mmCIF file of all heavy atoms in Angstrom:
data_model
loop_
_atom_site.group_PDB
_atom_site.id
_atom_site.type_symbol
_atom_site.label_atom_id
_atom_site.label_comp_id
_atom_site.label_asym_id
_atom_site.label_seq_id
_atom_site.Cartn_x
_atom_site.Cartn_y
_atom_site.Cartn_z
ATOM 1 N N ASP A 143 43.983 6.152 -21.474
ATOM 2 C CA ASP A 143 42.713 5.677 -20.964
ATOM 3 C C ASP A 143 41.653 5.899 -22.004
ATOM 4 O O ASP A 143 41.800 6.463 -23.062
ATOM 5 C CB ASP A 143 42.410 6.429 -19.644
ATOM 6 C CG ASP A 143 42.323 7.880 -19.828
ATOM 7 O OD1 ASP A 143 42.126 8.345 -21.034
ATOM 8 O OD2 ASP A 143 42.619 8.593 -18.827
ATOM 9 N N ASN A 144 40.447 5.369 -21.715
ATOM 10 C CA ASN A 144 39.432 5.355 -22.558
ATOM 11 C C ASN A 144 38.906 6.808 -22.904
ATOM 12 O O ASN A 144 38.350 7.076 -24.018
ATOM 13 C CB ASN A 144 38.146 4.642 -22.033
ATOM 14 C CG ASN A 144 38.224 3.117 -22.286
ATOM 15 O OD1 ASN A 144 38.676 2.812 -23.375
ATOM 16 N ND2 ASN A 144 37.633 2.222 -21.494
ATOM 17 N N ILE A 145 39.113 7.738 -21.965
ATOM 18 C CA ILE A 145 38.610 9.007 -22.228
ATOM 19 C C ILE A 145 39.469 9.818 -23.330
ATOM 20 O O ILE A 145 38.871 10.239 -24.298
ATOM 21 C CB ILE A 145 38.704 9.965 -20.933
ATOM 22 C CG1 ILE A 145 37.902 9.270 -19.836
ATOM 23 C CG2 ILE A 145 38.207 11.397 -21.200
ATOM 24 C CD1 ILE A 145 37.990 9.875 -18.314
ATOM 25 N N SER A 146 40.754 9.675 -23.195
ATOM 26 C CA SER A 146 41.519 10.356 -24.284
ATOM 27 C C SER A 146 41.354 9.472 -25.605
ATOM 28 O O SER A 146 41.494 10.044 -26.701
ATOM 29 C CB SER A 146 42.902 10.525 -23.896
ATOM 30 O OG SER A 146 43.382 9.544 -23.030
ATOM 31 N N LEU A 147 41.175 8.294 -25.435
ATOM 32 C CA LEU A 147 40.906 7.404 -26.649
ATOM 33 C C LEU A 147 39.744 7.861 -27.503
ATOM 34 O O LEU A 147 39.710 7.944 -28.606
ATOM 35 C CB LEU A 147 40.810 5.949 -26.292
ATOM 36 C CG LEU A 147 40.646 4.892 -27.344
ATOM 37 C CD1 LEU A 147 42.028 4.779 -28.041
ATOM 38 C CD2 LEU A 147 40.253 3.490 -26.961
ATOM 39 N N GLU A 148 38.704 8.221 -26.776
ATOM 40 C CA GLU A 148 37.448 8.653 -27.279
ATOM 41 C C GLU A 148 37.820 9.976 -28.042
ATOM 42 O O GLU A 148 37.155 10.332 -29.069
ATOM 43 C CB GLU A 148 36.421 8.858 -26.281
ATOM 44 C CG GLU A 148 34.967 9.355 -26.578
ATOM 45 C CD GLU A 148 34.289 8.378 -27.676
ATOM 46 O OE1 GLU A 148 34.790 7.234 -28.017
ATOM 47 O OE2 GLU A 148 33.327 8.836 -28.366
ATOM 48 N N GLU A 149 38.529 10.903 -27.392
ATOM 49 C CA GLU A 149 38.917 12.163 -28.011
ATOM 50 C C GLU A 149 39.474 12.021 -29.458
ATOM 51 O O GLU A 149 39.223 12.561 -30.364
ATOM 52 C CB GLU A 149 39.784 13.028 -27.031
ATOM 53 C CG GLU A 149 39.031 13.660 -26.048
ATOM 54 C CD GLU A 149 39.868 14.149 -24.976
ATOM 55 O OE1 GLU A 149 41.175 14.232 -25.048
ATOM 56 O OE2 GLU A 149 39.349 14.527 -23.831
ATOM 57 N N ILE A 150 40.499 10.982 -29.395
ATOM 58 C CA ILE A 150 41.150 10.685 -30.592
ATOM 59 C C ILE A 150 40.242 10.186 -31.688
ATOM 60 O O ILE A 150 40.309 10.369 -32.858
ATOM 61 C CB ILE A 150 42.375 9.576 -30.371
ATOM 62 C CG1 ILE A 150 43.395 10.213 -29.366
ATOM 63 C CG2 ILE A 150 42.974 9.152 -31.551
ATOM 64 C CD1 ILE A 150 44.393 11.050 -30.042
ATOM 65 N N ARG A 151 39.373 9.332 -31.209
ATOM 66 C CA ARG A 151 38.373 8.685 -32.142
ATOM 67 C C ARG A 151 37.500 9.724 -32.898
ATOM 68 O O ARG A 151 37.449 9.647 -34.036
ATOM 69 C CB ARG A 151 37.496 7.705 -31.400
ATOM 70 C CG ARG A 151 36.723 6.724 -32.318
ATOM 71 C CD ARG A 151 35.560 5.925 -31.551
ATOM 72 N NE ARG A 151 34.612 6.826 -31.035
ATOM 73 C CZ ARG A 151 33.645 7.497 -31.688
ATOM 74 N NH1 ARG A 151 33.579 7.160 -33.006
ATOM 75 N NH2 ARG A 151 32.827 8.283 -31.178
ATOM 76 N N ILE A 152 37.172 10.666 -32.016
ATOM 77 C CA ILE A 152 36.390 11.722 -32.656
ATOM 78 C C ILE A 152 37.228 12.640 -33.577
ATOM 79 O O ILE A 152 36.805 12.993 -34.659
ATOM 80 C CB ILE A 152 35.657 12.622 -31.537
ATOM 81 C CG1 ILE A 152 34.530 11.988 -30.821
ATOM 82 C CG2 ILE A 152 35.089 13.948 -32.064
ATOM 83 C CD1 ILE A 152 34.234 12.457 -29.427
ATOM 84 N N LYS A 153 38.510 12.822 -33.142
ATOM 85 C CA LYS A 153 39.320 13.679 -34.023
ATOM 86 C C LYS A 153 39.574 13.003 -35.261
ATOM 87 O O LYS A 153 39.654 13.814 -36.430
ATOM 88 C CB LYS A 153 40.532 14.014 -33.263
ATOM 89 C CG LYS A 153 41.620 14.780 -33.902
ATOM 90 C CD LYS A 153 42.716 15.256 -33.112
ATOM 91 C CE LYS A 153 43.775 16.073 -34.008
ATOM 92 N NZ LYS A 153 45.068 16.222 -33.275
ATOM 93 N N TYR A 154 39.767 11.758 -35.234
ATOM 94 C CA TYR A 154 40.191 10.953 -36.587
ATOM 95 C C TYR A 154 38.980 10.420 -37.368
ATOM 96 O O TYR A 154 39.006 10.306 -38.590
ATOM 97 C CB TYR A 154 41.258 9.977 -36.402
ATOM 98 C CG TYR A 154 42.593 10.816 -36.109
ATOM 99 C CD1 TYR A 154 42.889 11.030 -34.789
ATOM 100 C CD2 TYR A 154 43.415 11.068 -37.181
ATOM 101 C CE1 TYR A 154 44.056 11.647 -34.575
ATOM 102 C CE2 TYR A 154 44.608 11.660 -36.999
ATOM 103 C CZ TYR A 154 44.928 12.071 -35.645
ATOM 104 O OH TYR A 154 46.179 12.738 -35.495
ATOM 105 N N PHE A 155 37.931 10.157 -36.559
ATOM 106 C CA PHE A 155 36.799 9.418 -37.302
ATOM 107 C C PHE A 155 35.559 10.312 -37.259
ATOM 108 O O PHE A 155 34.513 9.940 -37.864
ATOM 109 C CB PHE A 155 36.482 8.096 -36.629
ATOM 110 C CG PHE A 155 37.228 7.005 -37.309
ATOM 111 C CD1 PHE A 155 38.058 7.207 -38.274
ATOM 112 C CD2 PHE A 155 37.048 5.644 -36.953
ATOM 113 C CE1 PHE A 155 38.751 6.224 -39.002
ATOM 114 C CE2 PHE A 155 37.563 4.538 -37.449
ATOM 115 C CZ PHE A 155 38.578 4.812 -38.515
ATOM 116 N N GLY A 156 35.531 11.335 -36.506
ATOM 117 C CA GLY A 156 34.316 12.141 -36.365
ATOM 118 C C GLY A 156 33.898 12.793 -37.673
ATOM 119 O O GLY A 156 34.675 12.823 -38.724
ATOM 120 N N LYS A 157 32.696 13.528 -37.607
ATOM 121 C CA LYS A 157 32.234 14.111 -38.803
ATOM 122 C C LYS A 157 32.994 15.167 -39.368
ATOM 123 O O LYS A 157 33.067 15.441 -40.543
ATOM 124 C CB LYS A 157 30.755 14.710 -38.493
ATOM 125 C CG LYS A 157 29.691 13.664 -38.607
ATOM 126 C CD LYS A 157 28.218 14.347 -38.635
ATOM 127 C CE LYS A 157 27.267 13.373 -38.295
ATOM 128 N NZ LYS A 157 26.299 13.843 -37.293
ATOM 129 N N LYS A 158 33.707 15.963 -38.460
ATOM 130 C CA LYS A 158 34.547 17.019 -38.888
ATOM 131 C C LYS A 158 35.966 16.701 -39.060
ATOM 132 O O LYS A 158 36.860 17.635 -39.134
ATOM 133 C CB LYS A 158 34.452 18.178 -37.865
ATOM 134 C CG LYS A 158 33.003 18.843 -37.963
ATOM 135 C CD LYS A 158 32.895 19.902 -36.806
ATOM 136 C CE LYS A 158 31.492 20.363 -36.732
ATOM 137 N NZ LYS A 158 31.164 20.786 -35.540
ATOM 138 N N SER A 159 36.302 15.478 -39.109
ATOM 139 C CA SER A 159 37.719 14.984 -39.131
ATOM 140 C C SER A 159 38.223 15.118 -40.641
ATOM 141 O O SER A 159 37.397 15.194 -41.581
ATOM 142 C CB SER A 159 37.720 13.497 -38.821
ATOM 143 O OG SER A 159 37.070 12.722 -39.622
ATOM 144 N N GLU A 160 39.597 15.038 -40.713
ATOM 145 C CA GLU A 160 40.237 15.124 -42.102
ATOM 146 C C GLU A 160 39.874 13.922 -42.892
ATOM 147 O O GLU A 160 39.546 14.067 -44.116
ATOM 148 C CB GLU A 160 41.747 15.282 -41.942
ATOM 149 C CG GLU A 160 42.158 16.609 -41.436
ATOM 150 C CD GLU A 160 43.763 16.643 -41.184
ATOM 151 O OE1 GLU A 160 44.144 16.160 -40.262
ATOM 152 O OE2 GLU A 160 44.415 17.119 -42.231
ATOM 153 N N VAL A 161 39.694 12.792 -42.259
ATOM 154 C CA VAL A 161 39.290 11.637 -42.976
ATOM 155 C C VAL A 161 37.894 11.742 -43.723
ATOM 156 O O VAL A 161 37.793 11.478 -44.818
ATOM 157 C CB VAL A 161 39.308 10.332 -42.016
ATOM 158 C CG1 VAL A 161 38.665 9.104 -42.818
ATOM 159 C CG2 VAL A 161 40.631 10.054 -41.582
ATOM 160 N N SER A 162 37.040 12.372 -42.812
ATOM 161 C CA SER A 162 35.684 12.445 -43.555
ATOM 162 C C SER A 162 35.620 13.589 -44.624
ATOM 163 O O SER A 162 34.871 13.531 -45.503
ATOM 164 C CB SER A 162 34.601 12.582 -42.462
ATOM 165 O OG SER A 162 34.406 13.974 -42.170
#
Side-chain angles (χ1 to χ4, degrees):
D143 57 25
N144 271 332
I145 299 170
S146 37
L147 186 67
E148 181 60 11
E149 281 165 13
I150 297 275
R151 195 189 62 74
I152 291 167
K153 182 166 174 193
Y154 286 91
F155 267 3
K157 274 191 197 137
K158 289 177 187 150
S159 64
E160 287 177 281
V161 171
S162 89

